[in-house]
Coordinates of all heavy atoms in Angstrom, one line a residue:
T39 N 121.7 97.9 109.7 CA 120.4 98.0 110.3 C 120.6 98.6 111.7 O 121.4 98.1 112.5 CB 119.8 96.6 110.5 OG1 119.5 96.1 109.2 CG2 118.4 96.6 111.2
G40 N 119.8 99.6 112.0 CA 119.9 100.3 113.3 C 119.3 101.7 113.2 O 118.5 102.0 112.4
V41 N 119.7 102.5 114.2 CA 119.2 103.8 114.3 C 120.3 104.9 114.3 O 121.2 104.8 115.1 CB 118.4 103.9 115.7 CG1 117.8 105.3 115.8 CG2 117.3 102.9 115.7
L42 N 120.1 105.9 113.4 CA 121.1 107.0 113.3 C 120.4 108.2 114.0 O 119.4 108.7 113.5 CB 121.4 107.3 111.9 CG 122.3 108.5 111.6 CD1 123.7 108.3 112.3 CD2 122.5 108.8 110.1
V43 N 121.1 108.6 115.1 CA 120.6 109.8 115.8 C 121.4 111.0 115.5 O 122.6 111.0 115.6 CB 120.6 109.5 117.3 CG1 120.1 110.7 118.1 CG2 119.8 108.3 117.7
R44 N 120.7 112.0 114.9 CA 121.4 113.3 114.6 C 120.7 114.4 115.4 O 119.7 114.2 116.1 CB 121.2 113.6 113.1 CG 122.1 112.6 112.3 CD 121.8 112.8 110.8 NE 122.0 114.2 110.3 CZ 123.2 114.7 109.9 NH1 124.3 114.0 109.9 NH2 123.2 116.0 109.5
E45 N 121.3 115.6 115.3 CA 120.9 116.7 116.2 C 119.4 117.1 116.0 O 118.7 117.4 117.0 CB 121.8 117.9 115.9 CG 121.5 119.1 116.8 CD 122.4 120.3 116.6 OE1 123.2 120.2 115.6 OE2 122.3 121.3 117.3
H46 N 118.9 117.0 114.8 CA 117.6 117.5 114.5 C 116.6 116.3 114.1 O 115.5 116.6 113.6 CB 117.6 118.5 113.4 CG 118.4 119.7 113.8 ND1 118.0 120.7 114.7 CD2 119.6 120.1 113.3 CE1 119.0 121.6 114.8 NE2 119.9 121.3 113.9
G47 N 117.0 115.1 114.3 CA 116.1 114.0 113.9 C 116.8 112.7 114.0 O 118.0 112.6 114.2
T48 N 116.0 111.6 113.8 CA 116.4 110.2 113.9 C 116.0 109.5 112.6 O 114.9 109.6 112.2 CB 115.9 109.6 115.1 OG1 116.3 110.3 116.3 CG2 116.4 108.2 115.3
L49 N 116.9 108.7 112.1 CA 116.6 107.9 110.9 C 116.8 106.4 111.3 O 117.8 106.0 111.9 CB 117.6 108.2 109.8 CG 117.6 109.6 109.3 CD1 118.6 109.8 108.2 CD2 116.2 110.0 108.7
H50 N 115.8 105.6 111.0 CA 115.8 104.2 111.3 C 116.1 103.4 110.0 O 115.4 103.6 109.0 CB 114.4 103.7 111.8 CG 114.1 104.3 113.1 ND1 114.1 103.7 114.3 CD2 113.7 105.6 113.4 CE1 113.7 104.5 115.3 NE2 113.5 105.7 114.8
L51 N 117.2 102.6 110.0 CA 117.6 101.9 108.8 C 117.4 100.4 108.9 O 117.5 99.8 110.0 CB 119.1 102.1 108.6 CG 119.6 103.6 108.5 CD1 121.1 103.6 108.2 CD2 118.9 104.3 107.3
A52 N 117.0 99.8 107.8 CA 116.9 98.3 107.7 C 117.6 97.9 106.4 O 117.1 98.3 105.4 CB 115.5 97.9 107.8
E53 N 118.6 97.1 106.6 CA 119.4 96.7 105.4 C 119.8 97.9 104.5 O 119.8 97.8 103.3 CB 118.6 95.7 104.6 CG 118.2 94.4 105.4 CD 117.3 93.5 104.6 OE1 117.3 93.6 103.4 OE2 116.7 92.6 105.3
G54 N 120.2 99.0 105.2 CA 120.7 100.1 104.5 C 119.7 101.0 103.9 O 120.0 102.0 103.2
R55 N 118.4 100.8 104.1 CA 117.3 101.6 103.6 C 116.6 102.3 104.8 O 116.6 101.8 105.9 CB 116.3 100.8 102.8 CG 116.9 100.1 101.5 CD 115.9 99.2 100.9 NE 114.7 99.9 100.4 CZ 114.6 100.4 99.2 NH1 115.6 100.3 98.3 NH2 113.5 101.0 98.8
V56 N 116.1 103.5 104.5 CA 115.4 104.2 105.5 C 114.0 103.7 105.6 O 113.2 103.8 104.6 CB 115.4 105.8 105.2 CG1 114.8 106.5 106.4 CG2 116.9 106.2 105.0
V57 N 113.6 103.2 106.8 CA 112.2 102.7 106.9 C 111.4 103.6 107.8 O 110.1 103.5 107.8 CB 112.3 101.3 107.6 CG1 113.0 100.3 106.7 CG2 113.0 101.3 109.0
H58 N 112.0 104.6 108.5 CA 111.2 105.4 109.4 C 112.1 106.6 109.7 O 113.3 106.5 109.8 CB 110.8 104.7 110.7 CG 110.0 105.5 111.6 ND1 108.7 106.0 111.3 CD2 110.2 105.8 112.9 CE1 108.2 106.6 112.3 NE2 109.1 106.6 113.3
A59 N 111.5 107.8 110.0 CA 112.2 109.0 110.4 C 111.4 109.8 111.4 O 110.1 109.8 111.3 CB 112.5 109.9 109.2
E60 N 112.1 110.4 112.3 CA 111.4 111.2 113.4 C 112.2 112.5 113.5 O 113.4 112.5 113.4 CB 111.3 110.4 114.7 CG 110.6 109.1 114.6 CD 110.9 108.2 115.9 OE1 111.8 108.6 116.7 OE2 110.2 107.2 116.0
S61 N 111.4 113.5 113.9 CA 112.1 114.8 114.2 C 111.1 115.6 115.0 O 109.9 115.6 114.8 CB 112.4 115.6 112.9 OG 112.8 116.9 113.2
P62 N 111.6 116.3 116.0 CA 110.8 117.2 116.8 C 110.2 118.3 116.0 O 109.2 119.0 116.4 CB 111.7 117.7 117.9 CG 113.1 117.5 117.4 CD 113.0 116.3 116.5
H63 N 110.7 118.6 114.8 CA 110.3 119.7 114.0 C 109.2 119.3 113.0 O 108.6 120.1 112.3 CB 111.4 120.3 113.2 CG 112.6 120.8 114.0 ND1 112.5 121.9 114.8 CD2 113.8 120.2 114.2 CE1 113.6 122.0 115.5 NE2 114.4 121.1 115.1
A64 N 108.9 118.0 112.9 CA 107.9 117.5 111.9 C 106.8 116.7 112.6 O 107.1 115.9 113.5 CB 108.6 116.6 110.9
P65 N 105.5 116.9 112.2 CA 104.5 116.0 112.8 C 104.7 114.6 112.4 O 105.2 114.2 111.4 CB 103.2 116.6 112.1 CG 103.6 117.9 111.6 CD 105.0 117.9 111.3
G66 N 104.3 113.7 113.3 CA 104.5 112.3 113.1 C 103.4 111.7 112.3 O 102.4 112.3 111.9
L67 N 103.6 110.4 112.1 CA 102.5 109.6 111.3 C 101.2 109.7 112.0 O 100.2 109.8 111.3 CB 103.0 108.2 111.2 CG 102.0 107.2 110.4 CD1 101.8 107.7 109.0 CD2 102.6 105.8 110.5
D68 N 101.1 109.7 113.3 CA 99.8 109.8 114.0 C 99.1 111.1 113.7 O 97.9 111.1 113.4 CB 100.1 109.7 115.5 CG 101.0 110.7 116.0 OD1 101.9 111.2 115.3 OD2 100.9 111.0 117.3

Side-chain angles (χ1 to χ4, degrees):
T39 295
V41 180
L42 176 61
V43 180
R44 289 173 56 88
E45 183 177 6
H46 301 289
T48 303
L49 299 176
H50 297 252
L51 303 181
E53 300 177 17
R55 296 173 65 91
V56 182
V57 295
H58 182 61
E60 301 167 351
S61 172
H63 303 289
L67 178 61
D68 57 334

